Amino acid sequence: MEKDDFKCTLSLARTSLADRAGGTWSGPSRPDAYYKSGAVPLMLDPDGHSVKRNFVHVSDLADAILKALDNPRARQETFNICMDEPVDYQQVADYLRQTRGLPCVEIKTPYHSTWLDNTKAKISSGLAASL
């Protein structure tokens, strides 16, 4: 996923998360009240917990790959190029409720949370200065 993906996951527009991911809505199917209230979707995993998700810009990922390719110490190594801590959609929904008065709509998705350890990319294999 790229570009305005995060913005799209917080939208109940026609191309929203529920449509693209095959998510299921809580309550009535897509009532107009959700649109009119400015409600944001709260992405839930299959067990009903809020999703935690990492984001990385494509150019940052490409830069890290190029730096690893030019470094012999990175040969046959795996690195997680990601955020230190993922975005928690429950925290985002809470923030938007508190600061903007926006309600949220729970949407159960097939997605699971990701929390990757990027320590190795930052400090090991002598790559800290180049990554």
Side-chain angles (χ1 to χ4, degrees), residues 9-120:
T9 61
L10 296 176
S11 170
L12 291 175
R14 293 256 178 241
T15 59
S16 71
L17 173 72
D19 297 322
R20 295 180 329 165
T24 55
W25 296 77
S26 62
S29 179
R30 303 190 68 163
D32 289 337
Y34 289 156
Y35 296 110
K36 291 176 184 172
S37 70
V40 294
L42 170 55
M43 190 163 45
L44 303 176
D45 68 15
D47 296 326
H49 302 106
S50 68
V51 170
K52 294 168 185 58
R53 184 169 159 219
N54 265 283
F55 291 88
V56 64
H57 195 277
V58 173
S59 64
D60 292 333
L61 179 60
D63 187 48
I65 291 169
L66 291 173
K67 288 177 181 178
L69 286 173
D70 288 341
N71 191 322
R73 292 175 291 202
R75 187 173 190 274
Q76 296 184 330
E77 295 288 334
T78 302
F79 301 92
N80 291 323
I81 308 302
C82 58
M83 303 166 63
D84 289 337
E85 184 176 335
V87 172
D88 183 330
Y89 281 87
Q90 181 67 64
Q91 290 177 347
V92 172
D94 292 345
Y95 174 81
L96 291 172
R97 180 182 41 77
Q98 292 168 1
T99 62
R100 307 289 193 286
L102 297 176
C104 73
V105 178
E106 292 182 348
I107 298 177
K108 200 168 201 179
T109 71
Y111 297 129
H112 294 273
S113 294
T114 58
W115 192 321
L116 305 172
D117 183 355
N118 62 7
T119 304
K120 184 177 176 183

